[in-house]
Amino acid sequence: LRIPYARDTHEACFTVEQAKEHGLNRPGINVKNLVILDKKTGEHFMVILTDDRRLDFKHFAAITGWSKKATFASDEDIYHYLGVHIGSCSVFGIINDKKNHITVVLENAIGRADPDAIINFHPNVNTVTVSITIKDMFRFLEWSGNKVILEP
């Protein structure tokens, strides 16, 4: 895909709070990636939110159709589908989701951001942050073939 990027190495950060404690707030859109399992259907969703937003399960259930049995996925599930562990998952993990099992859900502020805006992710390891443009993130998502849902 030849996506241009900037790369920063840093201490391991498993949460947004840890990143902020270490002063790792990068210019651009900083995000968290939450993997959700709908226990009723077995479906998995990767919800990508700006780092300061909390996940509202009821709100996203209305958007995704996940049931009231939705919960955070286990580390085992995350590793099975994305090839990474909790604290390292990001949109780039779907490169390992060969059967396109994971549905990616983008917060409105991300999905409708300026295409040239910068967004920051871990590249499947939590000691590095990679910065790309929103339009390149969408190029990657299109290439992956995974279903994408945009928050209205």
Side-chain angles (χ1 to χ4, degrees):
L1 293 174
R2 300 195 192 283
I3 293 175
Y5 63 93
R7 180 181 187 271
D8 292 314
T9 303
H10 51 74
E11 294 181 48
C13 294
F14 294 89
T15 66
V16 169
E17 291 73 27
Q18 284 181 340
K20 288 181 179 181
E21 286 172 11
H22 294 299
L24 300 175
N25 200 17
R26 301 286 187 252
I29 301 170
N30 295 294
V31 299
K32 56 185 164 188
N33 307 277
L34 306 171
V35 182
I36 308 301
L37 165 64
D38 184 339
K39 288 185 174 183
K40 184 175 181 180
T41 65
E43 293 176 280
H44 286 83
F45 301 84
M46 178 185 291
V47 182
I48 303 175
L49 302 172
T50 53
D51 63 354
D52 59 347
R53 182 159 175 198
R54 293 183 55 89
L55 177 64
D56 179 338
F57 274 88
K58 286 183 181 180
H59 172 74
F60 280 96
I63 296 166
T64 63
W66 69 42
S67 75
K68 291 181 180 182
K69 298 215 180 256
T71 187
F72 291 104
S74 67
D75 188 63
E76 293 79 20
D77 279 355
I78 292 170
Y79 189 79
H80 176 77
Y81 291 108
L82 301 174
V84 298
H85 293 284
I86 290 174
S88 295
C89 66
S90 79
V91 70
F92 299 124
I94 63 173
I95 200 166
N96 298 315
D97 182 19
K98 303 295 185 200
K99 295 184 180 178
N100 301 113
H101 177 79
I102 304 284
T103 297
V104 177
V105 183
L106 295 171
E107 173 186 345
N108 182 291
I110 298 166
R112 310 236 188 278
D114 180 324
D116 292 320
I118 298 296
I119 187 163
N120 303 301
F121 293 102
H122 285 149
N124 298 337
V125 61
N126 63 2
T127 56
V128 175
T129 297
V130 170
S131 304
I132 63 174
T133 63
I134 293 287
K135 67 184 169 200
D136 285 332
M137 176 196 67
F138 277 110
R139 281 183 50 221
F140 175 77
L141 288 169
E142 183 178 341
W143 171 85
S144 77
N146 289 66
K147 181 178 176 182
V148 176
I149 298 174
L150 299 177
E151 178 185 26

